[in-house]
Amino acid sequence: MSVETRVITASEYPDWLRALTTGFLLPPAVVSEEEISDRMAHTDLARVRGAFDDGRCVATYRSFAQRLTAVGGAALPSNAVSNVTVSPTHRRRGLLSRMMTADLARAKERGDVVSTLIAAEYPIYGRYGFGPAAWITQWAVDVPRTGLDPRWSGPADGGRIDLVDATDVRKLGPELHARLAAGQPGAVSRDERWWQLNTGQVRLAAQPWTEPFYAVYRSASGEVEGLLAYQSDDNWGDAKQPLNTATVREMLALTPAAERALWHYVCSVDWITTVKSGYRAPDDLLPLLLPDPRAARILTQADFLWVRILDVVRALQARTYATPATLVLDVHDGLGLAGGRFRLDASPEGAVCAPSTETPDLTLGIRELGALYLGDESAVRLAALGLVDEGTPGAAEVADGVFRTPRRPWCPDVF
């Protein structure tokens, strides 16, 4: 029988979950009826797709509503893609292509400006028009080498660090994150369900829960401007010396003062000799705020958030630009969703973008436009790689002056 790809029904959801755990190499544990019911209550089944071979689910795909912060702070309606798997028995049969193209077409009809995802494997998603738009770096800090004052007992700016619990985080966190996301290109929205899952209020069988420590930074005026969540292992050397590692699970800071104070705090906790930073922006303050930046070594540096433009005009008009300039872009889209020729009149205050018949300054794919969109990638570099063609000499350099941002974009969330 041929393999059918389509939106699943409620009765097929347990089988879809089984295929999902298979694809992600998770233990094939039986999910309780209670957990299935809870998951379904927070899942839009109209956006859950599967591939079925003789009644058995052999591939999974899900999308959901999201908001993506563009440069300048606009929150764009986004089609977030997640839970993409194909069972090892059904690889290389085009199942993902069928599910992806159907979902992206539906997102375009719905009016989403972009689609986003976190790519588990690099080579897969470029062929669907996604480009790597924000990267991450993770550091391991050798605390004894940092040069930080081991007698530090709190911020010297009049602020303070307070330990809090998960209930406090569910009260304080959403507003703090919303304020951060409003000014952080690459940030994505969080709903109440996110806070329930990430503070242990709701626990899933496939995601074992360990309660972290929570700390907040309050400014001198008492306003919460930062949140830290971290956990520690229990590792002691042969000479009864502590060799514990603190792993940061969340660090949200609205101000540099909050960020500096929270990093200093976690590096000052007794018995902690290594701090793993979690996924941060590649230009995070962390290494350089240490007296000896060499105490922080890179553990991970990789692509993270991928962006697929679905509406070029709305996407380019939604963001602001570093310098005023006019560019005519000839955009190729293999899926036929968002290609065309467009004139962009950009400025720091905003932009006007419209279809155009003028000679293009730059010719590029929709994937490359996605990579440039949040200001992280360089058009000059893409041109050197043969991925962008200059119709006007120097246009790639002009594009860099227009698109690129002083600080790199960052997505704090895995989804």
Side-chain angles (χ1 to χ4, degrees):
M1 297 176 65
S2 61
V3 179
E4 178 187 21
T5 60
R6 55 174 171 76
V7 172
I8 72 169
T9 65
S11 64
E12 292 167 332
Y13 188 65
D15 189 36
W16 185 90
L17 283 177
R18 177 204 49 75
L20 179 67
T21 57
T22 298
F24 283 132
L25 299 179
L26 299 173
V30 176
V31 181
S32 69
E33 290 295 330
E34 181 181 8
E35 181 173 323
I36 288 172
S37 243
D38 177 69
R39 282 175 174 260
M40 287 181 62
H42 296 87
T43 299
D44 182 356
L45 287 181
R47 297 177 67 162
V48 178
R49 296 177 182 273
F52 295 86
D53 187 356
D54 197 21
R56 181 183 178 89
C57 187
V58 294
T60 64
Y61 183 104
R62 179 175 70 95
S63 67
F64 60 94
Q66 185 189 73
R67 309 290 287 187
L68 171 70
T69 303
V71 178
L76 305 183
S78 172
N79 178 68
V81 175
S82 187
N83 297 153
V84 176
T85 75
V86 177
S87 296
T89 53
H90 287 72
R91 300 166 65 244
R92 304 294 183 262
R93 302 191 191 183
L95 301 183
L96 171 57
S97 293
R98 287 155 62 183
M99 294 188 293
M100 176 73 79
T101 54
D103 182 67
L104 291 179
R106 181 69 189 92
K108 173 79 172 180
E109 293 170 2
R110 192 167 48 240
D112 291 334
V113 177
V114 297
S115 188
T116 56
L117 56 80
I118 309 294
E121 297 180 52
Y122 193 99
I124 295 174
Y125 296 100
R127 64 180 184 265
Y128 304 112
F130 289 85
W135 291 57
I136 50 89
T137 302
Q138 179 179 205
W139 288 271
V141 178
D142 184 349
V143 174
R145 286 190 54 200
T146 61
L148 293 171
D149 183 357
R151 299 168 297 175
W152 186 84
S153 60
D157 59 5
R160 57 180 289 168
I161 305 289
D162 291 322
L163 291 170
V164 297
D165 60 24
T167 301
D168 298 316
V169 171
R170 288 191 289 272
K171 292 176 182 176
L172 299 171
E175 180 183 357
L176 186 71
H177 176 266
R179 291 173 63 192
L180 175 80
Q184 176 60 63
V188 296
S189 53
R190 294 178 179 178
D191 58 15
E192 183 182 2
R193 176 71 168 180
W194 188 97
W195 292 99
Q196 291 173 346
L197 289 170
N198 287 275
T199 60
Q201 186 177 31
V202 174
R203 304 183 186 186
L204 304 178
Q207 300 173 12
W209 175 255
T210 300
E211 186 79 9
F213 301 98
Y214 298 106
V216 296
Y217 168 84
R218 300 182 193 273
S219 67
S221 65
E223 184 177 6
V224 174
E225 293 183 347
L227 169 66
L228 169 70
Y230 65 97
Q231 60 191 70
S232 175
D233 61 9
D234 184 22
N235 182 22
W236 289 73
D238 294 337
K240 290 189 67 179
Q241 291 295 315
L243 300 171
N244 298 315
T245 296
T247 300
V248 173
R249 288 172 44 172
E250 172 93 302
M251 165 84 81
L252 301 177
L254 299 182
T255 63
E259 188 171 357
R260 291 195 301 268
L262 289 172
W263 282 126
H264 203 158
Y265 164 76
V266 74
C267 288
S268 73
V269 176
D270 287 342
W271 299 356
I272 298 298
T273 58
T274 301
V275 171
K276 291 185 177 180
S277 69
Y279 291 163
R280 309 295 299 171
D283 61 349
D284 192 88
L285 299 182
L286 175 60
L288 295 181
L289 65 81
L290 304 175
D292 184 352
R294 293 183 183 179
R297 62 185 175 88
I298 291 175
L299 295 179
T300 306
Q301 185 157 299
D303 59 282
F304 195 64
L305 180 74
W306 291 57
V307 171
R308 206 277 185 209
I309 306 291
L310 295 172
D311 187 323
V312 172
V313 170
R314 291 172 64 201
L316 294 185
Q317 288 189 158
R319 59 157 288 176
T320 58
Y321 299 86
T323 58
T326 295
L327 287 167
V328 178
L329 307 175
D330 196 14
V331 182
H332 298 164
D333 185 348
L335 298 186
L337 294 172
R341 189 171 298 176
F342 306 91
R343 175 185 168 118
L344 172 66
D345 294 297
S347 78
E349 292 75 36
V352 175
C353 183
S356 174
T357 57
E358 299 176 63
T359 301
D361 297 306
L362 292 175
T363 299
L364 69 167
I366 198 71
R367 167 182 169 157
E368 285 66 47
L369 186 61
L372 291 168
Y373 183 65
L374 294 177
D376 200 41
E377 188 52 87
S378 160
V380 170
R381 185 163 74 162
L382 294 179
L385 291 167
L387 300 174
V388 168
D389 292 328
E390 286 187 309
T392 301
E397 187 173 346
V398 172
D400 275 359
V402 170
F403 277 89
R404 302 202 80 180
T405 53
R407 294 292 300 272
R408 298 182 70 174
W410 174 52
C411 179
D413 292 273
V414 178
F415 58 88

